[in-house]
Structures are given as structure tokens and as C-alpha cells.
Amino acid sequence: MISMTPESFRLADVFTISRGSRTEAKVLTVRIERDGLVGWGECVPYARYGETLESVTAQIEGLPGGIDRKALQAALPAGAARNAVDCALWDLEAKRAGKRVWQLAGLSAPGPRTTCFTLSLDTPEKMRAAAARNAHRPVLKIKLGTPDDMARLEAVRAGAPGARIVVDANEGWSAEVYSDLAPHLLRLGVEMVEQPLPAGQDDLLAEIARPLPVCADESCHDRASLPALRGKYDMVNIKLDKAGGLTEALALRDAARAEGYRVMVGCMVGTSLAMAPAVLVAQGAEVTDLDGPLLLAEDRDCPLVFDAEGVHPSEPGLWG
């Protein structure tokens, strides 16, 4: 039996990107019960991809109750609905087998991963203050995506002079804005820029200089996305809600590496339940951005542990 529950988790602070702001994480929790065992999964429907809690719920309601992971890949497209069900099925399989998911997937035992901490889009003054409060964190990810981001970049670097920095424009720049900013990104020690141009206009990335690595986010969902990225991107951001679950995320990671891409593993703003399977994908990734629970004022029971080593793999009480 598959059941779904929409849930809301308060954020610690308002979270803003170039497309808007939010004060809570709205997620769909999926529960699959068979033979007295329960598998759990979580997804974050994303309006950017035409998803709502209602549309994702309807997709899952159309599935047969006894579906397995292999059949699921054909039954639903890549996206949030398939992600939650796929992760719940992995959790259920692990409980049935009395093993961990990483063992079932043939992976090495996972360890902690250093993760980015995201600073949401704000005024330069507020972003400098946020950077200063989080200057102890090893990697800061800055949300940008406006034509006047130079002051924000300078402010964050001033607030956290020793932190590694990556930038996420969330499709908010034009080719001209990115080209103007790129030398300053290098000057300020930015290591990577994520999705500077809109996904439908990113052909221009093949025509302009890329002096620092450019990572595909909105332009990369699953393995079918890879052919269109050639010559435009240096990295791919794998998110389970885009890929449609752990099964495809692992396959995308391997395929991307085989084609020469560096790998970033990211997340939507969700709970520890959503991050837990992504920690497995993040093993060996060049950039890990699984800070969703750090942005929440409340989380799941048995949450993931974040400490000086980074984000740790989940305990069985949470997932996997």
C-alpha cells in the first residue's frame, strides 16, 4: 500500500532566490507498507518544473500498489513523484533484506561529506552579515541572479574572507551579465558558478569564455539531459527530485563522470529524509550541497548529523 502525506516544515529564516521567497518547506512524504514493513521517502514538488503537491500526489495515486523500482522507472517520468516512491522502495528493500541501502546498491560504506551552506539572496549588507555569521563554515553557496550582483559578491567575500565560495544564479543572468561578472568571480576566489543562464538559452555558454567551471542545474535532470550539455557545461548538479530518485541519480552520476563532467550533488529545501539518499550519491562528488536541514527550524525524528566533518550518512531509524 502506498500512502502520501503533505507536510510543512518551518524555515529558520526567509529563503530567497531569484525566483522568489519562502518561509516553509512544503514536502510530500510517501509511505509504502508491505508485509508489516514500511519504507519512507520524501519529495519537494517544484513549480519551476510544473509540479505541485496535488499534481505529484495524483501521479503517485495512479501507480499499482505492488510496483517495484524497475517498473517505476517506466511508469513515471523523472521528477519529484518518482523520487519519493523510488526512495521509499529502496528503504523498504533494505528493511526486508536486513541490510543498508548502500550494500544493496553495491556501493562502498559511505562517510561524511563536507557540504555547502547556502546564503539566500538579499541586500549586500544583509548578505555580508549572513556571511560573517557563517564564516566558520568551509563552503558558502551564494544565491544571486540579478543584474546588480557585484556588490553582493564583494559583501560576502568581505564577511567571510576565508571561506570557499560557489555561486548559484538560478538562471538569473544574461550572457552579457555573466561575462562581465566572470573576471570578478575569479578575483574573489569563487570556485564554480551554477546555472548562470536560463536553461532554454544556455547554448550561448558554448560561445563565450568559461574562465571558471560552470555547473548545469536546471539544464540537467537525468541521463537524457547529458547530450544537450556538451560544450556548454563543466559540471552537473544531481538532485534526486529532478532525477526521479536514487536509482536514476546513481546512474546519472556514473554516466556524467564517464562523459568527463565533474559532479555536484544538490537538494531542494527539504528535511533529513530527503537528504539521506542523496548522501550516498554525494560520495566522491566534487561539490556537496545537502544543507536543507540546516535551513529548517524543525526536522524529522532521527535527523542527519551535521558537524565539523560535514553531513553524515543516515541511521536506519531515519532511512536506508
mmCIF file with all atom_site columns, all heavy atoms in Angstrom, residues 39-64:
data_model
loop_
_atom_site.group_PDB
_atom_site.id
_atom_site.type_symbol
_atom_site.label_atom_id
_atom_site.label_alt_id
_atom_site.label_comp_id
_atom_site.label_asym_id
_atom_site.label_entity_id
_atom_site.label_seq_id
_atom_site.pdbx_PDB_ins_code
_atom_site.Cartn_x
_atom_site.Cartn_y
_atom_site.Cartn_z
_atom_site.occupancy
_atom_site.B_iso_or_equiv
_atom_site.pdbx_formal_charge
_atom_site.auth_seq_id
_atom_site.auth_comp_id
_atom_site.auth_asym_id
_atom_site.auth_atom_id
_atom_site.pdbx_PDB_model_num
ATOM 1   N N   . GLY A 1 39 ? 8.547  1.528  4.174   1.00 0.00 ? 39 GLY A N   1
ATOM 2   C CA  . GLY A 1 39 ? 9.614  2.316  3.561   1.00 0.00 ? 39 GLY A CA  1
ATOM 3   C C   . GLY A 1 39 ? 9.164  3.753  3.407   1.00 0.00 ? 39 GLY A C   1
ATOM 4   O O   . GLY A 1 39 ? 7.989  4.024  3.119   1.00 0.00 ? 39 GLY A O   1
ATOM 5   N N   . TRP A 1 40 ? 10.108 4.692  3.602   1.00 0.00 ? 40 TRP A N   1
ATOM 6   C CA  . TRP A 1 40 ? 9.770  6.118  3.584   1.00 0.00 ? 40 TRP A CA  1
ATOM 7   C C   . TRP A 1 40 ? 10.540 6.843  2.494   1.00 0.00 ? 40 TRP A C   1
ATOM 8   O O   . TRP A 1 40 ? 11.683 6.513  2.182   1.00 0.00 ? 40 TRP A O   1
ATOM 9   C CB  . TRP A 1 40 ? 10.134 6.764  4.923   1.00 0.00 ? 40 TRP A CB  1
ATOM 10  C CG  . TRP A 1 40 ? 9.387  6.220  6.095   1.00 0.00 ? 40 TRP A CG  1
ATOM 11  C CD1 . TRP A 1 40 ? 9.735  5.141  6.856   1.00 0.00 ? 40 TRP A CD1 1
ATOM 12  C CD2 . TRP A 1 40 ? 8.169  6.712  6.643   1.00 0.00 ? 40 TRP A CD2 1
ATOM 13  N NE1 . TRP A 1 40 ? 8.797  4.935  7.841   1.00 0.00 ? 40 TRP A NE1 1
ATOM 14  C CE2 . TRP A 1 40 ? 7.830  5.887  7.746   1.00 0.00 ? 40 TRP A CE2 1
ATOM 15  C CE3 . TRP A 1 40 ? 7.326  7.776  6.323   1.00 0.00 ? 40 TRP A CE3 1
ATOM 16  C CZ2 . TRP A 1 40 ? 6.691  6.097  8.518   1.00 0.00 ? 40 TRP A CZ2 1
ATOM 17  C CZ3 . TRP A 1 40 ? 6.191  7.980  7.098   1.00 0.00 ? 40 TRP A CZ3 1
ATOM 18  C CH2 . TRP A 1 40 ? 5.884  7.152  8.176   1.00 0.00 ? 40 TRP A CH2 1
ATOM 19  N N   . GLY A 1 41 ? 9.916  7.861  1.947   1.00 0.00 ? 41 GLY A N   1
ATOM 20  C CA  . GLY A 1 41 ? 10.581 8.740  1.000   1.00 0.00 ? 41 GLY A CA  1
ATOM 21  C C   . GLY A 1 41 ? 9.959  10.126 1.069   1.00 0.00 ? 41 GLY A C   1
ATOM 22  O O   . GLY A 1 41 ? 8.847  10.293 1.589   1.00 0.00 ? 41 GLY A O   1
ATOM 23  N N   . GLU A 1 42 ? 10.688 11.104 0.569   1.00 0.00 ? 42 GLU A N   1
ATOM 24  C CA  . GLU A 1 42 ? 10.206 12.489 0.591   1.00 0.00 ? 42 GLU A CA  1
ATOM 25  C C   . GLU A 1 42 ? 10.550 13.166 -0.721  1.00 0.00 ? 42 GLU A C   1
ATOM 26  O O   . GLU A 1 42 ? 11.607 12.913 -1.315  1.00 0.00 ? 42 GLU A O   1
ATOM 27  C CB  . GLU A 1 42 ? 10.859 13.260 1.735   1.00 0.00 ? 42 GLU A CB  1
ATOM 28  C CG  . GLU A 1 42 ? 10.504 14.758 1.764   1.00 0.00 ? 42 GLU A CG  1
ATOM 29  C CD  . GLU A 1 42 ? 11.298 15.514 2.812   1.00 0.00 ? 42 GLU A CD  1
ATOM 30  O OE1 . GLU A 1 42 ? 11.362 15.035 3.963   1.00 0.00 ? 42 GLU A OE1 1
ATOM 31  O OE2 . GLU A 1 42 ? 11.861 16.588 2.502   1.00 0.00 ? 42 GLU A OE2 1
ATOM 32  N N   . CYS A 1 43 ? 9.657  14.021 -1.180  1.00 0.00 ? 43 CYS A N   1
ATOM 33  C CA  . CYS A 1 43 ? 9.968  14.840 -2.346  1.00 0.00 ? 43 CYS A CA  1
ATOM 34  C C   . CYS A 1 43 ? 9.492  16.268 -2.110  1.00 0.00 ? 43 CYS A C   1
ATOM 35  O O   . CYS A 1 43 ? 8.658  16.536 -1.235  1.00 0.00 ? 43 CYS A O   1
ATOM 36  C CB  . CYS A 1 43 ? 9.332  14.278 -3.619  1.00 0.00 ? 43 CYS A CB  1
ATOM 37  S SG  . CYS A 1 43 ? 7.529  14.337 -3.677  1.00 0.00 ? 43 CYS A SG  1
ATOM 38  N N   . VAL A 1 44 ? 10.057 17.176 -2.906  1.00 0.00 ? 44 VAL A N   1
ATOM 39  C CA  . VAL A 1 44 ? 9.658  18.582 -2.869  1.00 0.00 ? 44 VAL A CA  1
ATOM 40  C C   . VAL A 1 44 ? 9.164  18.948 -4.268  1.00 0.00 ? 44 VAL A C   1
ATOM 41  O O   . VAL A 1 44 ? 9.979  19.197 -5.168  1.00 0.00 ? 44 VAL A O   1
ATOM 42  C CB  . VAL A 1 44 ? 10.831 19.489 -2.466  1.00 0.00 ? 44 VAL A CB  1
ATOM 43  C CG1 . VAL A 1 44 ? 10.398 20.956 -2.455  1.00 0.00 ? 44 VAL A CG1 1
ATOM 44  C CG2 . VAL A 1 44 ? 11.383 19.093 -1.103  1.00 0.00 ? 44 VAL A CG2 1
ATOM 45  N N   . PRO A 1 45 ? 7.859  18.958 -4.502  1.00 0.00 ? 45 PRO A N   1
ATOM 46  C CA  . PRO A 1 45 ? 7.349  19.389 -5.808  1.00 0.00 ? 45 PRO A CA  1
ATOM 47  C C   . PRO A 1 45 ? 7.823  20.813 -6.098  1.00 0.00 ? 45 PRO A C   1
ATOM 48  O O   . PRO A 1 45 ? 7.793  21.678 -5.219  1.00 0.00 ? 45 PRO A O   1
ATOM 49  C CB  . PRO A 1 45 ? 5.827  19.322 -5.628  1.00 0.00 ? 45 PRO A CB  1
ATOM 50  C CG  . PRO A 1 45 ? 5.626  18.333 -4.510  1.00 0.00 ? 45 PRO A CG  1
ATOM 51  C CD  . PRO A 1 45 ? 6.778  18.549 -3.585  1.00 0.00 ? 45 PRO A CD  1
ATOM 52  N N   . TYR A 1 46 ? 8.243  21.051 -7.346  1.00 0.00 ? 46 TYR A N   1
ATOM 53  C CA  . TYR A 1 46 ? 8.889  22.320 -7.660  1.00 0.00 ? 46 TYR A CA  1
ATOM 54  C C   . TYR A 1 46 ? 8.140  23.013 -8.790  1.00 0.00 ? 46 TYR A C   1
ATOM 55  O O   . TYR A 1 46 ? 8.023  22.469 -9.898  1.00 0.00 ? 46 TYR A O   1
ATOM 56  C CB  . TYR A 1 46 ? 10.340 22.051 -8.058  1.00 0.00 ? 46 TYR A CB  1
ATOM 57  C CG  . TYR A 1 46 ? 11.263 23.232 -7.857  1.00 0.00 ? 46 TYR A CG  1
ATOM 58  C CD1 . TYR A 1 46 ? 11.276 23.949 -6.672  1.00 0.00 ? 46 TYR A CD1 1
ATOM 59  C CD2 . TYR A 1 46 ? 12.140 23.619 -8.867  1.00 0.00 ? 46 TYR A CD2 1
ATOM 60  C CE1 . TYR A 1 46 ? 12.134 25.024 -6.485  1.00 0.00 ? 46 TYR A CE1 1
ATOM 61  C CE2 . TYR A 1 46 ? 12.999 24.694 -8.684  1.00 0.00 ? 46 TYR A CE2 1
ATOM 62  C CZ  . TYR A 1 46 ? 12.987 25.386 -7.496  1.00 0.00 ? 46 TYR A CZ  1
ATOM 63  O OH  . TYR A 1 46 ? 13.839 26.452 -7.318  1.00 0.00 ? 46 TYR A OH  1
ATOM 64  N N   . ALA A 1 47 ? 7.645  24.220 -8.522  1.00 0.00 ? 47 ALA A N   1
ATOM 65  C CA  . ALA A 1 47 ? 6.838  24.941 -9.504  1.00 0.00 ? 47 ALA A CA  1
ATOM 66  C C   . ALA A 1 47 ? 7.620  25.215 -10.781 1.00 0.00 ? 47 ALA A C   1
ATOM 67  O O   . ALA A 1 47 ? 7.030  25.260 -11.875 1.00 0.00 ? 47 ALA A O   1
ATOM 68  C CB  . ALA A 1 47 ? 6.342  26.253 -8.908  1.00 0.00 ? 47 ALA A CB  1
ATOM 69  N N   . ARG A 1 48 ? 8.930  25.389 -10.677 1.00 0.00 ? 48 ARG A N   1
ATOM 70  C CA  . ARG A 1 48 ? 9.762  25.648 -11.864 1.00 0.00 ? 48 ARG A CA  1
ATOM 71  C C   . ARG A 1 48 ? 9.598  24.538 -12.904 1.00 0.00 ? 48 ARG A C   1
ATOM 72  O O   . ARG A 1 48 ? 9.728  24.782 -14.109 1.00 0.00 ? 48 ARG A O   1
ATOM 73  C CB  . ARG A 1 48 ? 11.242 25.765 -11.430 1.00 0.00 ? 48 ARG A CB  1
ATOM 74  C CG  . ARG A 1 48 ? 12.273 25.738 -12.549 1.00 0.00 ? 48 ARG A CG  1
ATOM 75  C CD  . ARG A 1 48 ? 12.160 26.945 -13.458 1.00 0.00 ? 48 ARG A CD  1
ATOM 76  N NE  . ARG A 1 48 ? 13.167 26.926 -14.508 1.00 0.00 ? 48 ARG A NE  1
ATOM 77  C CZ  . ARG A 1 48 ? 13.100 26.223 -15.626 1.00 0.00 ? 48 ARG A CZ  1
ATOM 78  N NH1 . ARG A 1 48 ? 12.037 25.440 -15.844 1.00 0.00 ? 48 ARG A NH1 1
ATOM 79  N NH2 . ARG A 1 48 ? 14.054 26.283 -16.530 1.00 0.00 ? 48 ARG A NH2 1
ATOM 80  N N   . TYR A 1 49 ? 9.286  23.322 -12.433 1.00 0.00 ? 49 TYR A N   1
ATOM 81  C CA  . TYR A 1 49 ? 9.123  22.192 -13.342 1.00 0.00 ? 49 TYR A CA  1
ATOM 82  C C   . TYR A 1 49 ? 7.653  21.786 -13.486 1.00 0.00 ? 49 TYR A C   1
ATOM 83  O O   . TYR A 1 49 ? 7.333  20.671 -13.885 1.00 0.00 ? 49 TYR A O   1
ATOM 84  C CB  . TYR A 1 49 ? 9.956  21.007 -12.849 1.00 0.00 ? 49 TYR A CB  1
ATOM 85  C CG  . TYR A 1 49 ? 11.410 21.372 -12.645 1.00 0.00 ? 49 TYR A CG  1
ATOM 86  C CD1 . TYR A 1 49 ? 12.059 21.079 -11.448 1.00 0.00 ? 49 TYR A CD1 1
ATOM 87  C CD2 . TYR A 1 49 ? 12.121 22.040 -13.637 1.00 0.00 ? 49 TYR A CD2 1
ATOM 88  C CE1 . TYR A 1 49 ? 13.387 21.438 -11.255 1.00 0.00 ? 49 TYR A CE1 1
ATOM 89  C CE2 . TYR A 1 49 ? 13.444 22.406 -13.445 1.00 0.00 ? 49 TYR A CE2 1
ATOM 90  C CZ  . TYR A 1 49 ? 14.070 22.097 -12.261 1.00 0.00 ? 49 TYR A CZ  1
ATOM 91  O OH  . TYR A 1 49 ? 15.390 22.465 -12.060 1.00 0.00 ? 49 TYR A OH  1
ATOM 92  N N   . GLY A 1 50 ? 6.757  22.716 -13.153 1.00 0.00 ? 50 GLY A N   1
ATOM 93  C CA  . GLY A 1 50 ? 5.330  22.470 -13.320 1.00 0.00 ? 50 GLY A CA  1
ATOM 94  C C   . GLY A 1 50 ? 4.735  21.508 -12.310 1.00 0.00 ? 50 GLY A C   1
ATOM 95  O O   . GLY A 1 50 ? 3.678  20.920 -12.562 1.00 0.00 ? 50 GLY A O   1
ATOM 96  N N   . GLU A 1 51 ? 5.394  21.366 -11.160 1.00 0.00 ? 51 GLU A N   1
ATOM 97  C CA  . GLU A 1 51 ? 4.926  20.423 -10.147 1.00 0.00 ? 51 GLU A CA  1
ATOM 98  C C   . GLU A 1 51 ? 4.227  21.142 -8.994  1.00 0.00 ? 51 GLU A C   1
ATOM 99  O O   . GLU A 1 51 ? 4.634  22.230 -8.584  1.00 0.00 ? 51 GLU A O   1
ATOM 100 C CB  . GLU A 1 51 ? 6.098  19.615 -9.580  1.00 0.00 ? 51 GLU A CB  1
ATOM 101 C CG  . GLU A 1 51 ? 6.790  18.743 -10.602 1.00 0.00 ? 51 GLU A CG  1
ATOM 102 C CD  . GLU A 1 51 ? 8.050  18.091 -10.046 1.00 0.00 ? 51 GLU A CD  1
ATOM 103 O OE1 . GLU A 1 51 ? 8.657  18.638 -9.096  1.00 0.00 ? 51 GLU A OE1 1
ATOM 104 O OE2 . GLU A 1 51 ? 8.438  17.036 -10.567 1.00 0.00 ? 51 GLU A OE2 1
ATOM 105 N N   . THR A 1 52 ? 3.195  20.516 -8.454  1.00 0.00 ? 52 THR A N   1
ATOM 106 C CA  . THR A 1 52 ? 2.532  20.956 -7.229  1.00 0.00 ? 52 THR A CA  1
ATOM 107 C C   . THR A 1 52 ? 2.332  19.732 -6.333  1.00 0.00 ? 52 THR A C   1
ATOM 108 O O   . THR A 1 52 ? 2.470  18.591 -6.787  1.00 0.00 ? 52 THR A O   1
ATOM 109 C CB  . THR A 1 52 ? 1.152  21.578 -7.515  1.00 0.00 ? 52 THR A CB  1
ATOM 110 O OG1 . THR A 1 52 ? 0.293  20.558 -8.079  1.00 0.00 ? 52 THR A OG1 1
ATOM 111 C CG2 . THR A 1 52 ? 1.255  22.745 -8.498  1.00 0.00 ? 52 THR A CG2 1
ATOM 112 N N   . LEU A 1 53 ? 2.010  19.960 -5.073  1.00 0.00 ? 53 LEU A N   1
ATOM 113 C CA  . LEU A 1 53 ? 1.694  18.836 -4.195  1.00 0.00 ? 53 LEU A CA  1
ATOM 114 C C   . LEU A 1 53 ? 0.555  18.007 -4.771  1.00 0.00 ? 53 LEU A C   1
ATOM 115 O O   . LEU A 1 53 ? 0.572  16.772 -4.714  1.00 0.00 ? 53 LEU A O   1
ATOM 116 C CB  . LEU A 1 53 ? 1.325  19.343 -2.802  1.00 0.00 ? 53 LEU A CB  1
ATOM 117 C CG  . LEU A 1 53 ? 2.477  19.821 -1.918  1.00 0.00 ? 53 LEU A CG  1
ATOM 118 C CD1 . LEU A 1 53 ? 1.947  20.560 -0.705  1.00 0.00 ? 53 LEU A CD1 1
ATOM 119 C CD2 . LEU A 1 53 ? 3.340  18.644 -1.476  1.00 0.00 ? 53 LEU A CD2 1
ATOM 120 N N   . GLU A 1 54 ? -0.430 18.689 -5.378  1.00 0.00 ? 54 GLU A N   1
ATOM 121 C CA  . GLU A 1 54 ? -1.591 17.983 -5.922  1.00 0.00 ? 54 GLU A CA  1
ATOM 122 C C   . GLU A 1 54 ? -1.215 17.160 -7.149  1.00 0.00 ? 54 GLU A C   1
ATOM 123 O O   . GLU A 1 54 ? -1.647 16.007 -7.297  1.00 0.00 ? 54 GLU A O   1
ATOM 124 C CB  . GLU A 1 54 ? -2.691 18.994 -6.281  1.00 0.00 ? 54 GLU A CB  1
ATOM 125 C CG  . GLU A 1 54 ? -3.316 19.709 -5.091  1.00 0.00 ? 54 GLU A CG  1
ATOM 126 C CD  . GLU A 1 54 ? -2.421 20.797 -4.496  1.00 0.00 ? 54 GLU A CD  1
ATOM 127 O OE1 . GLU A 1 54 ? -1.481 21.255 -5.190  1.00 0.00 ? 54 GLU A OE1 1
ATOM 128 O OE2 . GLU A 1 54 ? -2.660 21.192 -3.331  1.00 0.00 ? 54 GLU A OE2 1
ATOM 129 N N   . SER A 1 55 ? -0.405 17.739 -8.035  1.00 0.00 ? 55 SER A N   1
ATOM 130 C CA  . SER A 1 55 ? -0.049 17.003 -9.261  1.00 0.00 ? 55 SER A CA  1
ATOM 131 C C   . SER A 1 55 ? 0.832  15.795 -8.951  1.00 0.00 ? 55 SER A C   1
ATOM 132 O O   . SER A 1 55 ? 0.675  14.724 -9.547  1.00 0.00 ? 55 SER A O   1
ATOM 133 C CB  . SER A 1 55 ? 0.648  17.931 -10.259 1.00 0.00 ? 55 SER A CB  1
ATOM 134 O OG  . SER A 1 55 ? 1.963  18.280 -9.833  1.00 0.00 ? 55 SER A OG  1
ATOM 135 N N   . VAL A 1 56 ? 1.748  15.966 -8.011  1.00 0.00 ? 56 VAL A N   1
ATOM 136 C CA  . VAL A 1 56 ? 2.629  14.859 -7.637  1.00 0.00 ? 56 VAL A CA  1
ATOM 137 C C   . VAL A 1 56 ? 1.834  13.755 -6.935  1.00 0.00 ? 56 VAL A C   1
ATOM 138 O O   . VAL A 1 56 ? 2.041  12.564 -7.181  1.00 0.00 ? 56 VAL A O   1
ATOM 139 C CB  . VAL A 1 56 ? 3.788  15.378 -6.760  1.00 0.00 ? 56 VAL A CB  1
ATOM 140 C CG1 . VAL A 1 56 ? 4.565  14.240 -6.142  1.00 0.00 ? 56 VAL A CG1 1
ATOM 141 C CG2 . VAL A 1 56 ? 4.721  16.253 -7.603  1.00 0.00 ? 56 VAL A CG2 1
ATOM 142 N N   . THR A 1 57 ? 0.900  14.157 -6.073  1.00 0.00 ? 57 THR A N   1
ATOM 143 C CA  . THR A 1 57 ? 0.039  13.178 -5.404  1.00 0.00 ? 57 THR A CA  1
ATOM 144 C C   . THR A 1 57 ? -0.758 12.375 -6.427  1.00 0.00 ? 57 THR A C   1
ATOM 145 O O   . THR A 1 57 ? -0.873 11.145 -6.331  1.00 0.00 ? 57 THR A O   1
ATOM 146 C CB  . THR A 1 57 ? -0.907 13.884 -4.427  1.00 0.00 ? 57 THR A CB  1
ATOM 147 O OG1 . THR A 1 57 ? -0.141 14.535 -3.406  1.00 0.00 ? 57 THR A OG1 1
ATOM 148 C CG2 . THR A 1 57 ? -1.869 12.892 -3.776  1.00 0.00 ? 57 THR A CG2 1
ATOM 149 N N   . ALA A 1 58 ? -1.291 13.062 -7.440  1.00 0.00 ? 58 ALA A N   1
ATOM 150 C CA  . ALA A 1 58 ? -2.081 12.374 -8.468  1.00 0.00 ? 58 ALA A CA  1
ATOM 151 C C   . ALA A 1 58 ? -1.220 11.382 -9.247  1.00 0.00 ? 58 ALA A C   1
ATOM 152 O O   . ALA A 1 58 ? -1.688 10.280 -9.590  1.00 0.00 ? 58 ALA A O   1
ATOM 153 C CB  . ALA A 1 58 ? -2.701 13.399 -9.416  1.00 0.00 ? 58 ALA A CB  1
ATOM 154 N N   . GLN A 1 59 ? 0.033  11.738 -9.526  1.00 0.00 ? 59 GLN A N   1
ATOM 155 C CA  . GLN A 1 59 ? 0.928  10.809 -10.229 1.00 0.00 ? 59 GLN A CA  1
ATOM 156 C C   . GLN A 1 59 ? 1.118  9.526  -9.418  1.00 0.00 ? 59 GLN A C   1
ATOM 157 O O   . GLN A 1 59 ? 1.074  8.420  -9.959  1.00 0.00 ? 59 GLN A O   1
ATOM 158 C CB  . GLN A 1 59 ? 2.284  11.460 -10.476 1.00 0.00 ? 59 GLN A CB  1
ATOM 159 C CG  . GLN A 1 59 ? 2.339  12.464 -11.604 1.00 0.00 ? 59 GLN A CG  1
ATOM 160 C CD  . GLN A 1 59 ? 3.752  13.009 -11.777 1.00 0.00 ? 59 GLN A CD  1
ATOM 161 O OE1 . GLN A 1 59 ? 4.253  13.750 -10.949 1.00 0.00 ? 59 GLN A OE1 1
ATOM 162 N NE2 . GLN A 1 59 ? 4.394  12.625 -12.867 1.00 0.00 ? 59 GLN A NE2 1
ATOM 163 N N   . ILE A 1 60 ? 1.332  9.696  -8.126  1.00 0.00 ? 60 ILE A N   1
ATOM 164 C CA  . ILE A 1 60 ? 1.596  8.530  -7.281  1.00 0.00 ? 60 ILE A CA  1
ATOM 165 C C   . ILE A 1 60 ? 0.336  7.697  -7.098  1.00 0.00 ? 60 ILE A C   1
ATOM 166 O O   . ILE A 1 60 ? 0.389  6.461  -7.055  1.00 0.00 ? 60 ILE A O   1
ATOM 167 C CB  . ILE A 1 60 ? 2.187  8.980  -5.926  1.00 0.00 ? 60 ILE A CB  1
ATOM 168 C CG1 . ILE A 1 60 ? 3.523  9.697  -6.155  1.00 0.00 ? 60 ILE A CG1 1
ATOM 169 C CG2 . ILE A 1 60 ? 2.380  7.789  -4.993  1.00 0.00 ? 60 ILE A CG2 1
ATOM 170 C CD1 . ILE A 1 60 ? 4.103  10.348 -4.917  1.00 0.00 ? 60 ILE A CD1 1
ATOM 171 N N   . GLU A 1 61 ? -0.807 8.371  -7.001  1.00 0.00 ? 61 GLU A N   1
ATOM 172 C CA  . GLU A 1 61 ? -2.072 7.640  -6.833  1.00 0.00 ? 61 GLU A CA  1
ATOM 173 C C   . GLU A 1 61 ? -2.356 6.731  -8.028  1.00 0.00 ? 61 GLU A C   1
ATOM 174 O O   . GLU A 1 61 ? -3.062 5.725  -7.893  1.00 0.00 ? 61 GLU A O   1
ATOM 175 C CB  . GLU A 1 61 ? -3.228 8.632  -6.654  1.00 0.00 ? 61 GLU A CB  1
ATOM 176 C CG  . GLU A 1 61 ? -3.264 9.275  -5.284  1.00 0.00 ? 61 GLU A CG  1
ATOM 177 C CD  . GLU A 1 61 ? -4.344 10.335 -5.164  1.00 0.00 ? 61 GLU A CD  1
ATOM 178 O OE1 . GLU A 1 61 ? -4.818 10.838 -6.214  1.00 0.00 ? 61 GLU A OE1 1
ATOM 179 O OE2 . GLU A 1 61 ? -4.707 10.682 -4.018  1.00 0.00 ? 61 GLU A OE2 1
ATOM 180 N N   . GLY A 1 62 ? -1.786 7.042  -9.181  1.00 0.00 ? 62 GLY A N   1
ATOM 181 C CA  . GLY A 1 62 ? -2.018 6.224  -10.366 1.00 0.00 ? 62 GLY A CA  1
ATOM 182 C C   . GLY A 1 62 ? -1.158 4.980  -10.440 1.00 0.00 ? 62 GLY A C   1
ATOM 183 O O   . GLY A 1 62 ? -1.303 4.180  -11.373 1.00 0.00 ? 62 GLY A O   1
ATOM 184 N N   . LEU A 1 63 ? -0.261 4.788  -9.483  1.00 0.00 ? 63 LEU A N   1
ATOM 185 C CA  . LEU A 1 63 ? 0.629  3.634  -9.504  1.00 0.00 ? 63 LEU A CA  1
ATOM 186 C C   . LEU A 1 63 ? -0.035 2.401  -8.898  1.00 0.00 ? 63 LEU A C   1
ATOM 187 O O   . LEU A 1 63 ? -0.800 2.520  -7.939  1.00 0.00 ? 63 LEU A O   1
ATOM 188 C CB  . LEU A 1 63 ? 1.904  3.939  -8.703  1.00 0.00 ? 63 LEU A CB  1
ATOM 189 C CG  . LEU A 1 63 ? 2.817  5.044  -9.225  1.00 0.00 ? 63 LEU A CG  1
ATOM 190 C CD1 . LEU A 1 63 ? 3.935  5.301  -8.211  1.00 0.00 ? 63 LEU A CD1 1
ATOM 191 C CD2 . LEU A 1 63 ? 3.388  4.685  -10.586 1.00 0.00 ? 63 LEU A CD2 1
ATOM 192 N N   . PRO A 1 64 ? 0.278  1.221  -9.405  1.00 0.00 ? 64 PRO A N   1
ATOM 193 C CA  . PRO A 1 64 ? -0.201 -0.004 -8.736  1.00 0.00 ? 64 PRO A CA  1
ATOM 194 C C   . PRO A 1 64 ? 0.490  -0.169 -7.386  1.00 0.00 ? 64 PRO A C   1
ATOM 195 O O   . PRO A 1 64 ? 1.679  0.160  -7.231  1.00 0.00 ? 64 PRO A O   1
ATOM 196 C CB  . PRO A 1 64 ? 0.205  -1.117 -9.707  1.00 0.00 ? 64 PRO A CB  1
ATOM 197 C CG  . PRO A 1 64 ? 1.286  -0.543 -10.557 1.00 0.00 ? 64 PRO A CG  1
ATOM 198 C CD  . PRO A 1 64 ? 1.030  0.927  -10.641 1.00 0.00 ? 64 PRO A CD  1
#
